[in-house]
Amino acid sequence: MYVNFDCDIASRNVFENLINLLTRSAFPVNSQISMTNTLALDGLVAVIQGMAERIEDAPPLLESTSVNLEVYMPFWMMRCDNCSDPRNWVPFVRQMKSIKKKLMIAANHFTQDRKKGFAKFLQEAHLLPEEIDPHSVACLFMYTAGLDKNLIGDFLGNHGELCIQVLHEFVGTFDFRDMCLDTALRIFLETFRLNGESKDSKNIFVDKDAALTISYSLILLNTDQHNVQVRKKMTEEDFIQNNRGINDGNDLPREFLSNLYHSICKNEIRTAPEQGASFPDMMPSLWIDLIHKSKKTAPHITMDNCPYLEVDMFDILAGPTIAAISVVFDDAEDEDIYQLCIDGFLGAAKTAAFYHIEDVMDDLVISFVISQPLESIDLEEFIMTFGEDTKAKMATTTLCTIANRYGDLIRMGWRNILDCILRLHEVSLLSAIVVTDAADDSAVAPDSWHEEKPLTKSFSSAQMPSTVMPRRSPGLIGRFSQFLSFDAEETRPRQPTNEELAAHQHTLETIQQCQIQNIFIESKFLVTDSLLQLSQAIIAAGRSSRETDSPEDEGIAVFCLKFLITVTLNNRDRILLLWKGVYEHISNVQSSVMPSALLQKAVFGLLSICWQLLLYKENLANELLRSLQLILKLDARVADSYCEQITQDIGRLIKANATHIRSQVGWRTVLSLLAITARHSEAGFDALSFIMSNRSHLLPSNFVLCVDAARQFAESHVGQVKRSLHALDLMAGSVDCLVRWAHETHEGPTVEDAAKTSRDIGDMWLRLLQGLRKICSDNREEVRNRALLSLQKCFVVVHEVSFLQNLWLRCFDPVIFAMPDELLGIVQEHTQKNYRDMEGTLMLAMKLLSKVFLLSIDELIRSENLSKLWLDVLSQMEKYMKVKIRGKKNEKLWELLPKLLKNTLLVMKTRCVLVQGNASHCDGLWDSTWYE
C-alpha cells in the first residue's frame, strides 16, 4: 500500500490517510472510550506491533542513497528498472516519495505566489528546468496533486504567450481515445476550475469547430442544470435548439444531443476536491480515468514480509499514533485497554530504537510525564492510592523499562525521567534502593548499589505506615507523574488494614521492578549523546534544587549528586566527555561557607572520583588532581569539620595512586592537603611517611613539596613529639635520594641535561637545609636537637658529591650562620620556661658549625671567601663564649668551644691553610686569626 500509492506521485497517500483515519477515530469524545475508539486503537497498535515483530528477522538495512535529484529530470517519466530487486526499487520509491513531498510543498508555494516561490523552489529541487518550457509546466500541472485548481484555471485562461503554449501542451497530456464526449469533458474539467461567468470561458478556446462548440454548450448546460441560482432550467428541446447548425452548418444527430443532455442532467461535471477536503465520490468518469491511467502506470511492486521501507512508514505514523495512544490510555478505565496501550508504547519504542529515531523516543518519554496538579495528600495515602492503581503502576514500570532498554535513543527525555525518579525520592519510595559510591565507603565498589532496607515478601502492620482509603483520581497519561507530585504530611498513626498492607507491598514491588538503579549503573553502555544529556539532566536537577534552602530540596540535590558521581565512575573510559560539567557542578556546590550534607557529598565525591580514576586515566591525572584545589579553597569552618576524613581519603588516594602522580602540580595539591592536617590532627602523616619512606615514590617532582610538608608536621605541636621526630628523620633520610640522583646524573643523554639536573638537585638540597634550619629554633628540646643532628647528616652524606660541595659556600649565610644567631636570639629574648635546656642545643650548634667548616675546607681553599668565612666562624664562637644562660656563663660551652677551636686550627694547619708567612692567597689569614 505505502509503496504503490503513497510513493506514487499520481496517487493519494493511502497509508498516511489510513493512519490519520485511525488516529482520529481513536481519540475519545468527552473522555468516554467507545467501541470505535477501541477498534481504532487496536488497529494502530496492530500496525506498530507488526513493525516491531518484523524487525526481529529484518535483513541488513540497505545502504542509504541520496533521494535528491542532482539534475533536472522529467519526474513523471521516471520508472524503476527492476521492480523485483529491493536494491533497485527501494531507492526508487524513496526518491519518488521525496519528489512527491516536494511537489506538495510546491503546491503550497503555488497557492501563495505562483510567479516567484513556486517556480524558484521547483528549479532548486531540479523538478523544473532552469529555462522553463511549456511542456514541463503543463506536465507539472497535470501530475502535481494539491495545486489550487482556481489558479490553474486562471493561468490557462491567461492571454500571455507562455500561458497559451502551456494550455496547448496541457491539453496534449490527455488521452481521450475511446471515450464519449461528455466523459472526456468531465475528465478534462476535473483538472482545473473555470471561474467567472460563461462569457469569460470563450477566452480559453480558439477553435470554433463542432467539438469545441458542443463542449462549450455542455458547460453551459451543466451550469444551468446544477446551479441553484438558475430558476428556469433549460429543457431538452432548448438544448437541441441551441445547438442547431454547429456541425459545419449541419445539425448534430438528435439522439446524440439527447444522450448528452440526459447525461449532464443526471451526473454533474464536478472538479476534484481541494487538498485536505473529503474524498470524492467515485463517479463513472473517475472510474474511466482510473482504468486509462492503469494502462500507462508503472508496474505494481510486490514485496515480501521484509521491512525495507518501514522506517519511512514508522516516521509517518509515530507522532499521531503515540498521541492517540496517550489520550486513550489517559481516559481508559479498563485493564485490557491499559495493556493494549502499553503494548503500543513498547512496540513504538522497540521500532524507534531499531531505526535510531531519537525524537520518537523522547516523545514516548514525555507522553508519560504530562501531568495536571492534584491536591496534596500525605505519604500514606499516596502509597495506598499508588499501590491500588493499575494504570499508575503500569505507567511507572513502562517508563523505566524504556529508560533501561532504549536509553541510547533518549535525549531531552532524560530530564523527564529524572524528574519522575526524584519525585519518587521525595515521597520516600526509593528508600529501599539507594545508590552508593566510593565516597560513602572505600570498601564498596564505585558502581555498586546496596539496599538499605531489603524488600521483603510480606509486611507486618508494624512496618506499614498509616493510610487512608484511596479515591479514584482523574486519569491522564501522566498518572505516573501525578502520583509523584503529592506532598508528604504526617498523619496520626493507626493500625493498617489488609488492603493497605497489600497496597504497600504492591507499591514496593513496582518500584523494585523498575530497576531504577540500573539506569545509572548501565549508563556506561549509553552512546555519547545520550550520556551527555543524562549528565546534563542530573546537573540541571541538582542545580535547581540548590536554589532553595529547604531540607527537602537539599536532599534532592544530594541525591542528584550521588547519581552524577555514579554515572561518572561508571564511565571512566569517557570521563573527558563528562569531566567539565561534573567539575563545574561540584565547584558550585563547594562555594558554600557552612557544612552541609550536600557540601560533604561534593567534597568526598570529588575525592572518590580522583581516587578511582587516577589509576585508569593517566592523561587526565593532572586535571583530576588540580580539581582537588577546590578542597584547599573550602571555608575554614568547613575544612575543620571534614579535616580528619579528608586526610584519610587523601591518604588512601596517595597509597593507591602514588605511581600515577608524576607532575609537580599534582603533588603540590595532594601534599598541600596533607600539610593542612598537620595543624589539626595526626591524620595525614602516615601518607607522607609512605611517600618519603619509599624511595620509589620520592621523586624530583615532589621532593621539595614533601620536605615542606614534613617540616610542617615537624613544627606542629599537635600530637606527640614522636611524630615531629619521625618527620625530621624523614627529612634527613631524603638526602639519600639526592645522593642517588646525583650519581645518576652523569648518565643523562646530554651534557646540558646533566647540568640542569645537577642544578635542580642542588636547589633541592638547599631547600632541605633551610627547612631543617627553621626547625632548629623549635621550643621543644628533642625536636630542635634532632633537627641539628639531621642538618649535620645532610652535610656529611653529600660530602663526597662533588657538585654539591660547590654549593656549600651558599649555605653558610642562610643556614650555618643564621641558625646560631637565631638560637642566640631565643636565649636572650625567651625565658627558660619556654625554651628549656638551651645549653645542649647551643653546643650542638657550635659542633655543627665547626664540622661544616672543616668539611668544606677544601672548597674554601679555592675560594676567595675563605678569610671572610673563617673570621665569621671565629665571631660566632666568640658570641657563644660570651652568652649567658640564666644570668651566668655556661661552663659546658666554655669547655667545648676551646676544644672545637683547637681542633679546627690543627686541621687548618695540617691542610696548610693557617701557616705563618704563607705566600699563597691565604696570606694574612694567620695575622687575622692571631688578632681574633
Side-chain angles (χ1 to χ4, degrees):
M1 182 188 297
Y2 176 78
V3 171
N4 291 287
F5 290 93
D6 292 60
C7 297
D8 184 0
I9 61 173
S11 302
R12 291 182 175 273
N13 295 328
V14 179
F15 173 76
E16 185 173 352
N17 292 335
L18 175 61
I19 295 300
N20 291 336
L21 174 63
L22 290 175
T23 52
R24 288 197 303 269
S25 302
F27 277 86
V29 179
N30 298 326
S31 302
Q32 297 296 323
I33 305 296
S34 65
M35 182 62 68
T36 302
N37 303 141
T38 305
L39 290 175
L41 175 68
D42 198 11
L44 289 173
V45 173
V47 174
I48 289 181
Q49 285 188 314
M51 290 184 174
E53 292 172 359
R54 284 190 292 274
I55 62 177
E56 295 178 355
D57 301 321
L61 295 176
L62 297 176
E63 183 178 354
S64 60
T65 57
S66 175
V67 296
N68 297 319
L69 295 176
E70 300 297 332
V71 295
Y72 168 70
M73 185 179 299
F75 59 87
W76 57 90
M77 298 179 63
M78 295 175 62
R79 297 289 184 271
C80 180
D81 296 333
N82 187 354
C83 294
S84 60
D85 187 354
R87 291 172 296 182
N88 286 320
W89 67 258
V90 170
F92 171 75
V93 297
R94 280 182 172 157
Q95 188 175 51
M96 296 308 294
K97 182 62 176 177
S98 174
I99 292 174
K100 190 174 184 179
K101 290 179 179 179
K102 292 176 181 177
L103 290 175
M104 295 176 66
I105 297 174
N108 184 52
H109 282 291
F110 182 75
T111 302
Q112 296 176 359
D113 186 357
R114 68 176 186 271
K115 295 182 179 179
K116 297 181 180 179
F118 175 68
K120 182 179 180 181
F121 173 79
L122 289 175
Q123 285 176 323
E124 291 176 351
H126 301 294
L127 296 177
L128 275 179
E130 294 183 4
E131 295 294 333
I132 297 178
D133 61 273
H135 180 70
S136 61
V137 176
C139 292
L140 191 68
F141 286 163
M142 185 65 183
Y143 297 107
T144 301
L147 292 178
D148 190 315
K149 300 187 182 303
N150 291 318
L151 295 178
I152 294 177
D154 291 343
F155 186 91
L156 296 177
N158 193 284
H159 289 290
E161 182 181 355
L162 176 62
C163 296
I164 295 175
Q165 294 175 354
V166 171
L167 172 62
H168 286 286
E169 294 289 345
F170 182 74
V171 175
T173 61
F174 291 90
D175 183 6
F176 295 135
R177 289 176 296 181
D178 302 325
M179 291 187 187
C180 297
L181 179 60
D182 65 322
T183 300
L185 187 60
R186 292 176 191 276
I187 294 174
F188 178 71
L189 294 179
E190 284 169 358
T191 59
F192 61 92
R193 179 168 294 149
L194 297 174
N195 294 327
E197 297 296 330
S198 61
K199 62 182 179 180
D200 297 327
S201 301
K202 62 183 179 181
N203 295 329
I204 302 177
F205 309 101
V206 293
D207 296 331
K208 297 182 180 180
D209 55 12
L212 176 60
T213 304
I214 193 63
S215 297
Y216 181 68
S217 182
L218 289 176
I219 294 172
L220 294 176
L221 176 62
N222 186 74
T223 303
D224 178 84
Q225 294 295 316
H226 300 288
N227 192 327
V228 295
Q229 296 181 355
V230 179
R231 297 183 179 180
K232 185 178 179 180
K233 303 296 182 181
M234 187 185 304
T235 64
E236 181 179 352
E237 289 299 327
D238 294 336
F239 177 71
I240 295 174
Q241 182 66 31
N242 291 337
N243 289 285
R244 290 185 183 278
I246 65 173
N247 190 15
D248 195 20
N250 300 318
D251 295 340
L252 292 171
R254 182 181 181 87
E255 182 181 359
F256 174 71
L257 294 175
S258 178
N259 290 336
L260 289 178
Y261 176 82
H262 291 291
S263 175
I264 296 298
C265 291
K266 293 179 181 179
N267 297 311
E268 178 188 2
I269 298 176
R270 289 179 292 179
T271 57
E274 298 297 332
Q275 186 178 14
S278 60
F279 295 103
D281 297 332
M282 286 305 293
M283 299 175 293
S285 59
L286 292 180
W287 283 113
I288 294 172
D289 185 44
L290 182 61
I291 293 172
H292 279 74
K293 286 183 178 179
S294 66
K295 297 177 182 179
K296 300 182 294 182
T297 189
H300 185 75
I301 298 176
T302 58
M303 55 185 297
D304 52 23
N305 204 35
C306 294
Y308 295 113
L309 292 171
E310 293 201 355
V311 60
D312 307 77
M313 299 167 63
F314 183 74
D315 188 55
I316 293 173
L317 70 88
T321 300
I322 291 173
I325 297 176
S326 299
V327 174
V328 174
F329 184 79
D330 176 42
D331 293 332
E333 296 297 335
D334 183 81
E335 290 190 17
D336 292 337
I337 298 181
Y338 297 162
Q339 188 60 52
L340 185 62
C341 294
I342 295 300
D343 292 341
F345 283 132
L346 293 178
K350 180 179 179 181
T351 308
F354 182 81
Y355 293 116
H356 303 284
I357 306 176
E358 301 168 4
D359 295 342
V360 172
M361 200 65 70
D362 282 336
D363 290 342
L364 275 170
V365 171
I366 293 172
S367 68
F368 276 94
V369 294
I370 300 173
S371 62
Q372 290 181 349
L374 298 178
E375 61 275 17
S376 299
I377 63 175
D378 57 21
L379 172 61
E380 293 76 12
E381 184 176 354
F382 170 80
I383 293 177
M384 184 66 188
T385 308
F386 184 82
E388 291 190 342
D389 194 301
T390 304
K391 182 187 296 186
K393 291 186 291 185
M394 293 178 72
T396 305
T397 306
T398 304
L399 179 67
C400 293
T401 299
I402 292 175
N404 276 302
R405 291 182 185 176
Y406 311 115
D408 270 354
L409 274 296
I410 300 175
R411 297 294 183 268
M412 298 303 297
W414 282 121
R415 296 178 182 269
N416 304 94
I417 293 173
L418 189 65
D419 181 64
C420 295
I421 293 174
L422 293 178
R423 291 182 183 275
L424 281 175
H425 171 69
E426 283 185 80
V427 293
S428 304
L429 284 182
L430 294 185
S431 59
I433 305 175
V434 180
V435 61
T436 62
D437 50 62
D440 296 324
D441 187 354
S442 60
V444 181
D447 56 352
S448 65
W449 289 67
H450 72 275
E451 297 181 353
E452 292 181 349
K453 298 179 181 179
L455 294 174
T456 58
K457 295 184 178 180
S458 62
F459 291 87
S460 65
S461 60
Q463 295 172 302
M464 174 65 193
S466 60
T467 61
V468 295
M469 293 306 295
R471 51 189 172 84
R472 180 182 178 278
S473 59
L476 276 174
I477 188 59
R479 179 68 61 90
F480 171 57
S481 184
Q482 292 174 5
F483 280 111
L484 301 183
S485 64
F486 298 146
D487 296 328
E489 298 177 356
E490 295 183 359
T491 58
R492 182 178 300 176
R494 64 175 177 81
Q495 193 70 13
T497 64
N498 292 333
E499 291 78 7
E500 293 167 347
L501 289 172
H504 191 249
Q505 175 67 27
H506 293 158
T507 297
L508 293 181
E509 288 176 352
T510 299
I511 300 304
Q512 191 176 40
Q513 291 171 4
C514 290
Q515 297 182 338
I516 294 174
Q517 67 274 23
N518 289 342
I519 296 175
F520 302 95
I521 292 177
E522 301 302 321
S523 63
K524 55 191 171 186
F525 299 114
L526 294 177
V527 297
T528 299
D529 290 342
S530 181
L531 177 63
L532 287 175
Q533 290 290 343
L534 172 59
S535 65
Q536 290 171 9
I538 297 174
I539 291 172
R543 185 188 304 116
S544 60
S545 299
R546 247 186 19 251
E547 294 175 354
T548 62
D549 298 328
S550 67
E552 293 80 7
D553 287 336
E554 184 185 26
I556 293 176
V558 172
F559 202 62
C560 288
L561 189 54
K562 286 185 177 182
F563 282 144
L564 184 62
I565 294 170
T566 299
V567 170
T568 303
L569 293 176
N570 278 279
N571 289 275
R572 62 192 183 200
D573 294 332
R574 297 184 288 180
I575 184 62
L576 290 174
L577 296 172
L578 304 174
W579 180 244
K580 181 179 179 181
V582 173
Y583 174 79
E584 289 179 354
H585 182 64
I586 293 178
S587 176
N588 293 332
V589 172
Q590 292 191 357
S591 61
S592 175
V593 297
M594 293 298 293
S596 65
L598 178 60
L599 182 56
Q600 182 179 9
K601 171 53 64 177
V603 170
F604 299 110
L606 179 61
L607 286 169
S608 174
I609 292 172
C610 294
W611 167 39
Q612 298 183 59
L613 295 185
L614 277 175
L615 182 63
Y616 303 99
K617 291 295 174 184
E618 295 185 8
N619 60 331
L620 196 61
N622 287 341
E623 192 71 24
L624 290 171
L625 293 170
R626 191 179 292 112
S627 69
L628 296 179
Q629 293 178 3
L630 292 175
I631 302 177
L632 293 173
K633 299 176 183 178
L634 289 174
D635 186 87
R637 290 167 291 185
V638 177
D640 291 343
S641 299
Y642 305 138
C643 178
E644 188 74 24
Q645 190 175 351
I646 289 174
T647 308
Q648 292 175 2
D649 283 4
I650 289 292
R652 286 197 294 265
L653 183 149
I654 292 174
K655 291 179 180 179
N657 299 282
T659 57
H660 298 88
I661 307 175
R662 295 191 174 94
S663 70
Q664 191 174 24
V665 174
W667 279 114
R668 179 180 291 112
T669 303
V670 295
L671 290 172
S672 297
L673 288 169
L674 288 181
I676 289 175
T677 63
R679 301 190 298 269
H680 295 79
S681 66
E682 292 284 343
F685 185 71
D686 289 342
L688 180 64
S689 178
F690 170 79
I691 299 171
M692 299 188 71
S693 299
N694 191 329
R695 296 297 183 255
S696 62
H697 297 330
L698 193 59
L699 308 170
S701 59
N702 66 7
F703 183 87
V704 173
L705 298 169
C706 287
V707 168
D708 288 343
R711 177 184 59 78
Q712 293 185 53
F713 277 104
E715 292 175 338
S716 174
H717 288 209
V718 177
Q720 300 178 355
V721 175
K722 183 179 179 181
R723 190 187 73 172
S724 297
L725 298 178
H726 189 187
L728 287 168
D729 292 341
L730 292 175
M731 294 177 70
S734 66
V735 74
D736 295 332
C737 289
L738 295 178
V739 174
R740 175 165 55 85
W741 297 338
H743 290 310
E744 295 172 354
T745 299
H746 301 291
E747 301 176 4
T750 63
V751 176
E752 291 78 7
D753 292 338
K756 182 180 183 304
T757 304
S758 298
R759 289 194 298 271
D760 293 340
I761 294 174
D763 292 339
M764 287 185 274
W765 183 59
L766 291 176
R767 288 292 293 271
L768 174 61
L769 298 178
Q770 291 173 354
L772 289 171
R773 190 263 302 169
K774 293 179 180 179
I775 309 174
C776 291
S777 302
D778 196 273
N779 63 351
R780 295 166 294 177
E781 179 188 9
E782 302 94 325
V783 174
R784 62 176 179 267
N785 289 347
R786 182 71 66 87
L788 285 165
L789 294 174
S790 299
L791 194 58
Q792 179 175 311
K793 177 183 177 181
C794 290
F795 281 102
V796 173
V797 171
V798 301
H799 179 59
E800 300 299 329
V801 183
S802 59
F803 71 83
L804 288 179
Q805 289 181 352
N806 300 331
L807 298 174
W808 282 38
L809 296 179
R810 294 170 52 190
C811 300
F812 276 90
D813 286 335
V815 178
I816 302 304
F817 294 147
M819 177 265 300
D821 289 339
E822 290 177 356
L823 293 175
L824 283 177
I826 291 172
V827 171
Q828 296 170 0
E829 297 175 5
H830 295 274
T831 63
Q832 179 68 15
K833 181 179 180 181
N834 295 331
Y835 286 83
R836 296 182 179 180
D837 301 323
M838 282 297 295
E839 57 269 21
T841 303
L842 296 179
M843 294 172 65
L844 289 174
M846 286 296 99
K847 290 180 180 179
L848 174 62
L849 175 64
S850 176
K851 183 75 173 180
V852 172
F853 181 79
L854 293 177
L855 288 174
S856 60
I857 192 67
D858 292 335
E859 184 66 24
L860 291 174
I861 292 174
R862 297 187 293 270
S863 171
E864 297 177 355
N865 297 322
L866 173 60
S867 177
K868 176 181 180 303
L869 291 176
W870 167 240
L871 294 177
D872 288 340
V873 169
L874 293 177
S875 175
Q876 289 288 347
M877 289 184 175
E878 182 182 7
K879 292 177 183 179
Y880 270 61
M881 287 289 291
K882 298 177 180 179
V883 70
K884 293 183 179 181
I885 301 176
R886 293 187 294 275
K888 58 182 180 179
K889 295 181 179 180
N890 187 271
E891 295 181 359
K892 294 181 179 180
L893 282 174
W894 271 79
E895 294 176 0
L896 174 65
L897 286 172
K899 294 179 180 179
L900 294 176
L901 181 58
K902 178 182 178 181
N903 183 57
T904 303
L905 291 172
L906 290 174
V907 173
M908 293 176 69
K909 181 180 179 181
T910 303
R911 303 299 299 274
C912 299
V913 176
L914 192 63
V915 178
Q916 187 176 11
N918 194 346
S920 66
H921 72 279
C922 298
D923 188 23
L925 187 62
W926 171 272
D927 296 335
S928 300
T929 303
W930 179 257
Y931 177 79
E932 289 294 329

